[in-house]
Amino acid sequence: MARGKTPVPLDLPLPAAVDENGNAVNKHDRAYRALRDAILERLLPEGARLPSSRLLAERWQLSRGTVESVFDRLRAEGYVTRLGGSGTRVCAVIPDNYLHAPPPRDAKRASAAAAKRARSTQRAAQAAAPEGARVGVPFVAKLANPRLFSTEAWVRHVQRAIASASLELLCSAQPSGMAPLREQIAAYLRAHRGVACHADDVIVTTGIRHAIDLIARSTLREGDKVCVEDPGYRAVHRIFELTGASLVHASVDAQGVKVDTVREHAGVRLAYVTPAHQSPLGVTMSATRRLALLEWAAERDAWIIEDDYDSDFRYQSAPLPALKAIDRGERVIYCGSFNQALFSNLRIGYMIAPEAIRTRILALWQTIGRSVGVTEQLGLAAFIERGALVQHLRVARLEYLKLRDIVMSGLSVAPAVAQGRARITGAEAGFHFILWLPRPWSEAAFCKAAQAQGVALQPLASLCHAVRLPPAVVIGYTALTAAQARLATKQLAALLT
């Protein structure tokens, strides 16, 4: 097929208005799925030009604005490029093995018996000790702002949930976590992260690090190799080291982790990635890299841990679908947490583990103790079911966007930033961004000078292992007040002369 031609002109079918669970699917998501699936199935191959938004709008009886929004979403996820005069073209490279992988599982469980066996092997656990908060500390405030959380609403939901719970429910030991919470988590992930899952796929944990610890101890033997991002989340790297595994550090560029580095090392059993908003650089893993990573895992019989730590907070577009959403080979273990969404010491997280590994994880969980307390689980289930979580996320997203804009606007007037000698990246989502320093500043000298002004900074080098990057610092802003953000930004900008 010659470049510039549209291989499937206007006969792409629009998916049904309801999904396999009977839930309504809006027009935007239906159009998105039609085009994304056509790209993944190579009906629209690499380099192909998509039909124009006007033609697709007429064919599907949608507004042109809806189709343009779908094109922008596909571009943000790395499936297409949009260039003036060239139209919208497919840029994602689809590996051959992806086409032979089985389609994603139906959201309903294929085998109730398997879920029953899994439940019989696990108990839940107690919450981990809370971490030190960084509320109000510029600029290491990289956590949910507790000022936005309504304790009154939370108390009401917890009281109602406990009051309506049966004695049997309060006393039963449900290995993967309380069923009402797992049902709400699965429904949320289907609606907001594109993950086809059911309540029986969900394991409730005390947070993402707890989930990763369970995965590491269930899958790794001493001497196994684990691929991690460089720079990356060092606390998780330590968890892998405690299992006796050796780490392979893969560098990160504008498309995310370099999969070629993973391929170069034989014996890698597990890869840990943060695809939606790489920690700490903030880049989004491209569709081509995502598919290449899935292909690698299928070829090597390896696992991928997807840490989706802050995906609910995107400021230029809707949250991106998870890597798990296109995992046809069941190689991705998806990890998330409500600690980042609500407040840091809530200590409720979850994972979606493929059936092939879930029984092992549950068996370990049974050995080391119970999960989160029933009160918190039932309260959170009610909080989600009655729309309070979505409402809170909407409020928090707007507040964090305002704080981000205060900091970025304040830094933009600094001479070094205005002249392009210092720059900001990774600010499209999450709780932080990267400030790349101008010459002749070193990270150590800049952090020391900022500390003298009462501003705490994390040097980027502290998150690097082998990679050597230009001097930069991490700017966390979400757990600040507007006044704190303005003052601290003014102090920081004064150094960027």
Side-chain angles (χ1 to χ4, degrees), residues 266-404:
V268 175
R269 296 283 302 129
L270 183 69
Y272 165 82
V273 293
T274 51
H277 187 239
Q278 197 274 333
S279 177
L281 294 182
V283 300
T284 299
M285 188 185 294
S286 69
T288 297
R289 292 273 176 90
R290 292 177 185 227
L291 293 165
L293 190 62
L294 291 171
E295 181 186 35
W296 163 81
E299 290 175 353
R300 304 288 179 87
D301 192 26
W303 300 104
I304 301 168
I305 296 178
E306 178 179 12
D307 182 345
D308 209 25
Y309 68 103
D310 67 356
S311 61
D312 287 312
F313 300 99
R314 292 194 71 82
Y315 308 123
Q316 266 71 44
S317 63
L320 303 179
L323 175 64
K324 182 66 177 174
I326 57 172
D327 175 26
R328 296 189 170 187
E330 288 286 288
R331 307 312 304 175
V332 176
I333 308 168
Y334 178 88
C335 299
S337 170
F338 294 100
N339 310 335
Q340 294 285 71
L342 298 176
F343 58 93
S344 62
N345 281 339
L346 177 60
R347 313 318 306 167
I348 300 181
Y350 53 88
M351 72 173 99
I352 307 296
E355 189 172 335
I357 193 176
R358 189 162 56 251
T359 301
R360 275 184 277 165
I361 294 173
L362 290 172
L364 174 61
W365 209 184
Q366 180 180 10
T367 301
I368 63 178
R370 293 179 179 270
S371 185
V372 185
V374 62
T375 302
E376 296 94 325
Q377 291 192 62
L378 293 179
L380 180 56
F383 194 80
I384 301 172
E385 182 179 17
R386 293 168 184 158
L389 174 65
V390 172
Q391 181 181 2
H392 172 82
L393 290 175
R394 188 180 303 116
V395 170
R397 208 175 283 124
L398 290 173
E399 178 66 16
Y400 298 160
L401 173 61
K402 181 180 76 173
L403 290 167
R404 184 205 69 167

Side-chain angles (χ1 to χ4, degrees), residues 72-123:
D72 286 341
R73 181 176 175 183
L74 291 168
R75 179 195 55 76
E77 294 171 18
Y79 288 103
V80 302
T81 57
R82 306 197 72 184
L83 300 173
S86 182
T88 303
R89 295 181 182 274
V90 177
C91 64
V93 179
I94 314 300
D96 290 333
N97 287 356
Y98 184 81
L99 298 177
H100 303 302
R105 289 185 306 141
D106 190 275
K108 295 181 179 179
R109 293 297 306 134
S111 170
K116 184 177 180 180
R117 287 194 302 270
R119 286 193 296 269
S120 69
T121 62
Q122 192 261 349
R123 298 178 185 171

